[in-house]
Amino acid sequence: MGFRNLGPLGSFVKEGWEKTFSLVKFFCFLHVVDSYLVTWFVTLGPSMLPTIDLTPTLFLGETFSARSGKVTRGDIVIIRSPQNPKMMVAKRLVGMENDTVTYIPNPDEPDKQETIVVPKGHVWIQGDDVNTSNDSRNFGAVPYGLIEKRPFWRVLPAKDFGPFWKH
Amino acid sequence: MKVMSYMAQWRGIAKEAMDRTAIAVKFLCCLHITDAYFCSPTHIYGPSMLPTFNMVGDIVLAEHVSQRLGKVRHGDLVVVRSPSDPKKSITKRIMGMEGDTVTYFDPMLGDATRVAVVPKGHVWIQGDNIFASRDSRHFGPVPYGLIQGKVFFRVWPLDCIGVPGQ
């Protein structure tokens, strides 16, 4: 390249270019780790009480299980909301495809139950706190393709630091 | 003495192997970022998008920027993760955005036209060949979050290079 012709300015430009390039490579690497190995996210809200507190909680998550089809009933997953594609929600997987799920659509009427078979390629999600959770009882079964990640370690608040896989 | 010279050689080879691996890893990272966030090639086959795409297979480029910015709209060709099989991607056309009332006709269920309202956060997708396509007329509106990219250019077959038709 013609950097030598610019003299001292040329060496600044060259160094600036190299530093930027190294930074870009570093961010690419961080991004790939985030997409394929370990990622982090913060949960908020009361819908998963008592398992997850309603104050902001920082988790480490992995995307491997969702991608390879290894998430099952009972797992807590982070799923892209079918009502607002910009938001992600944390819920528990209650039913996989072809399961029969019996649920109470309205917590105020605990005697009225409904039964549904989860369609192929879909899952049924519910929050642990049935009174405050907006989940499959409201918007129906969601396609498996919307599952993004699964938490495996709770980081903050510091008093809750520790593993988070058998909840 | 011979052991020392072997070790020196080995160290040189190991260093070169590490450098080459680092370059390969950096290249793959860049490739991955481009593929996931900018543009990626997709192979489409099947009769559901005739006459826009042919049966035996087209290779198209899909960009992943529009759907992140919310700029996908009615009439766009999109690559969507299938709601009935999360391992597969399907390519269809958007025929309704959230809040729209869609009037559709399913030849397999008779001559009646039906009406559906697309819920918030969802889109209605249909194949151009309504006689041979499994789409929202069968599995309902799909959540916007399943859209993976928008098709903007066809690269194969060579005699049809260009922007796919309307």
Side-chain angles (χ1 to χ4, degrees):
Chain A
M1 301 195 81
F3 285 128
R4 255 167 266 169
N5 302 334
L6 294 171
L9 183 61
S11 66
F12 274 135
V13 172
K14 186 164 189 286
E15 200 177 318
W17 171 250
E18 276 172 9
K19 291 249 160 82
T20 315
F21 206 44
S22 298
L23 210 60
V24 166
K25 280 184 286 191
F26 176 65
F27 277 122
C28 278
F29 174 73
L30 267 190
H31 168 78
V32 171
V33 169
D34 182 85
S35 301
Y36 288 95
L37 296 172
V38 176
T39 182
W40 60 274
F41 52 90
V42 177
T43 60
L44 190 63
S47 65
M48 285 296 291
L49 281 168
T51 316
I52 302 179
D53 212 8
L54 62 88
T55 54
T57 309
L58 176 68
F59 286 94
L60 292 181
E62 46 92 0
T63 47
F64 179 72
S65 313
R67 250 183 317 169
S68 58
K70 288 198 180 9
V71 286
T72 58
R73 271 166 228 97
D75 286 348
I76 300 176
V77 291
I78 306 303
I79 190 165
R80 196 165 282 274
S81 163
Q83 295 173 320
N84 182 354
K86 291 188 173 52
M87 252 180 39
M88 298 213 232
V89 295
K91 297 281 177 273
R92 194 181 290 274
L93 268 186
V94 169
M96 304 299 289
E97 66 181 7
N98 299 323
D99 284 355
T100 310
V101 174
T102 307
Y103 65 101
I104 301 169
N106 188 356
D108 297 330
E109 294 167 7
D111 297 328
K112 288 218 181 98
Q113 290 186 335
E114 284 197 18
T115 308
I116 191 170
V117 176
V118 181
K120 186 171 175 314
H122 285 63
V123 293
W124 189 270
I125 56 173
Q126 271 180 219
D128 286 352
D129 185 356
V130 291
N131 295 311
T132 57
S133 169
N134 178 25
D135 50 37
S136 286
R137 297 169 299 154
N138 305 71
F139 46 68
V142 293
Y144 184 100
L146 288 177
I147 300 179
E148 302 246 334
K149 44 204 171 196
R150 201 172 65 155
F152 67 91
W153 197 274
R154 185 158 36 185
V155 181
L156 290 177
K159 64 174 171 68
D160 291 329
F161 187 88
F164 193 81
W165 39 69
K166 285 275 181 282
H167 277 75
Chain B
M1 281 317 293
K2 266 210 165 162
V3 177
M4 299 288 277
S5 76
Y6 277 146
M7 281 192 49
Q9 254 184 342
W10 220 92
R11 207 179 319 140
I13 293 176
K15 183 173 188 314
E16 199 175 324
M18 284 285 294
D19 285 343
R20 295 264 167 100
T21 316
I23 293 179
V25 166
K26 282 183 280 194
F27 175 67
L28 288 175
C29 280
C30 277
L31 210 60
H32 162 77
I33 302 275
T34 313
D35 185 83
Y37 289 91
F38 297 115
C39 168
S40 63
T42 313
H43 180 225
I44 310 179
Y45 57 92
S48 66
M49 288 297 290
L50 285 166
T52 314
F53 296 123
N54 74 63
M55 256 190 78
V56 292
D58 287 26
I59 300 182
V60 298
L61 294 178
E63 51 92 353
H64 305 280
V65 179
S66 300
Q67 123 261 11
R68 272 176 218 278
L69 301 176
K71 287 203 176 358
V72 177
R73 65 184 63 89
H74 191 283
D76 283 347
L77 290 162
V78 287
V79 178
V80 167
R81 190 178 277 197
S82 165
S84 32
D85 186 352
K87 294 187 174 54
K88 291 213 183 98
S89 293
I90 57 179
T91 307
K92 299 276 181 262
R93 196 182 290 273
I94 293 190
M95 298 306 267
M97 302 296 293
E98 66 182 6
D100 287 352
T101 311
V102 176
T103 310
Y104 64 97
F105 164 62
D106 188 356
M108 289 193 287
L109 297 174
D111 291 329
T113 54
R114 290 147 202 270
V115 170
V117 177
V118 182
K120 187 170 176 315
H122 288 63
V123 293
W124 187 272
I125 56 173
Q126 267 180 223
D128 286 351
N129 181 6
I130 56 168
F131 298 96
S133 167
R134 270 203 79 237
D135 47 41
S136 286
R137 297 169 299 156
H138 309 100
F139 47 65
V142 299
Y144 186 98
L146 287 179
I147 297 178
Q148 294 180 313
K150 188 167 103 161
V151 174
F152 69 98
F153 201 78
R154 170 167 33 202
V155 293
W156 187 273
L158 293 172
D159 51 356
C160 300
I161 283 188
V163 179
Q166 293 306 314

